[in-house]
Amino acid sequence: MFQGLLKKDFLLIKTYLWIWLAGVVLLYAAGASFASYRDRFDLVFPFLIALFAGHAVILPITAAILLKAEEKGQYWLHGTAGGKKLLSSKLLISAVVTIASLFVTNVLTLFSLWVSEFEDYSIWPHGEFPLFEGVLFNGGVLFGALYFAIWGLFLWALFHSMSQYPGLKRFRWIIIIAVYFITQTIITRIAEWSAVKTFLQSSSFQVGSPESNIGQFDGVRFTMSSGEFLVWPVILSIVGLCLLFFAAGWLLDRKVEV
């Protein structure tokens, strides 16, 4: 049954996937053409940075498209799959779309580095290409996208669950916005407590070299400095997102109509 859900969601999003990947290539081609016209191919990298930043919304947008299709058909009202399976399918397919797009963007980035003759590894920490840092960067982009997508799933389920209560129905958007911002405010306030700060910073590991590295490419000087990767904030964020996901599934299991 779960495989059927995955197949259904992939078929729904497949056309959008090819359109988006074509858009990535076209945007890169536009940046590469501009850089070639200026006879400075390194100018393509701001376009690539914009592409990487855009992936923070690709996963939520993909999930939103699938949820919109779910609204039209109200499939969960007539299907036997639980809410968690239904939402898991959408989250997995959205993640696949995002990973595919990240893969294409990374390939284009490596190609740009090669064309720009960016092969003087002396500018990198310890003279090595920062592969681990690159993987960590892509993981951070994907995690940020998952954060927004899971929050979207929860707020979507909460929004439609309130349709059962006529007194709340006309105020649903206000309640949804209030739930998100009040939750974020509470989390921010708690994180500012000294005891909580100490706990959150109690476990970490160094990413890259502990020393700053000054590099130069095509007359442009830049400084690369590493930082500490805090473990507890990531773990607690994962726990919080799991709770949100299960809450969304529970709300959906109530067979609310939209």
Side-chain angles (χ1 to χ4, degrees):
M1 180 178 294
F2 187 64
Q3 290 180 344
L5 289 173
L6 290 173
K7 183 178 179 180
K8 180 200 73 174
D9 286 333
F10 178 74
L11 291 176
L12 285 171
I13 207 67
K14 183 174 66 173
T15 301
Y16 293 96
L17 171 61
W18 292 120
I19 292 173
W20 168 247
L21 293 180
V24 168
V25 175
L26 287 174
L27 180 60
Y28 173 79
S33 299
F34 172 76
S36 298
Y37 174 75
R38 297 295 299 271
D39 199 25
R40 287 189 55 187
F41 199 78
D42 56 298
L43 292 176
V44 75
F45 292 107
F47 289 86
L48 289 167
I49 293 172
L51 280 175
F52 276 113
H55 284 83
V57 297
I58 294 303
L59 201 155
I61 289 175
T62 304
I65 292 172
L66 294 173
L67 289 175
K68 192 64 179 177
E70 201 72 38
E71 287 182 1
K72 290 181 179 179
Q74 295 188 348
Y75 301 121
W76 71 86
L77 292 175
H78 316 292
T80 57
K84 298 180 189 65
K85 285 186 178 180
L86 206 65
L87 296 179
S88 294
S89 173
K90 285 157 181 48
L91 204 58
L92 282 173
I93 294 301
S94 300
V96 167
V97 170
T98 305
I99 291 170
S101 182
L102 277 172
F103 175 78
V104 172
T105 306
N106 277 280
V107 170
L108 294 174
T109 301
L110 292 174
F111 173 75
S112 300
L113 290 172
W114 176 71
V115 171
S116 302
E117 297 181 352
F118 211 108
E119 53 193 19
D120 181 9
Y121 292 145
S122 62
I123 66 172
W124 303 117
H126 304 296
E128 299 177 355
F129 188 83
L131 180 62
F132 174 73
E133 289 81 355
V135 172
L136 200 62
F137 172 75
N138 280 271
V141 172
L142 184 61
F143 183 79
L146 282 170
Y147 169 85
F148 290 115
I150 292 176
W151 258 107
L153 293 178
F154 169 73
L155 294 176
W156 177 82
L158 179 62
F159 178 84
H160 291 301
S161 70
M162 288 187 286
S163 63
Q164 301 177 96
Y165 308 100
L168 297 176
K169 195 170 183 178
R170 66 175 62 183
F171 303 107
R172 287 186 296 179
W173 278 112
I174 297 175
I175 295 173
I176 289 297
I177 294 172
V179 166
Y180 178 78
F181 282 103
I182 289 173
T183 303
Q184 298 304 311
T185 301
I186 292 173
I187 293 173
T188 301
R189 296 296 185 189
I190 293 176
E192 291 175 349
W193 296 351
S194 57
V196 175
K197 277 187 178 180
T198 301
F199 170 73
L200 293 177
Q201 298 173 1
S202 63
S203 181
S204 65
F205 62 86
Q206 188 74 29
V207 178
S209 171
E211 301 176 354
S212 296
N213 293 269
I214 299 176
Q216 181 169 331
F217 176 69
D218 201 16
V220 179
R221 289 173 60 86
F222 54 90
T223 302
M224 293 179 294
S225 58
S226 60
E228 287 188 331
F229 184 88
L230 300 178
V231 176
W232 281 116
V234 175
I235 293 176
L236 292 176
S237 296
I238 292 173
V239 171
L241 290 178
C242 288
L243 292 175
L244 281 177
F245 179 80
F246 285 120
W250 176 77
L251 289 170
L252 202 59
D253 282 334
R254 299 175 67 188
K255 302 294 184 182
V256 298
E257 294 189 12
V258 299

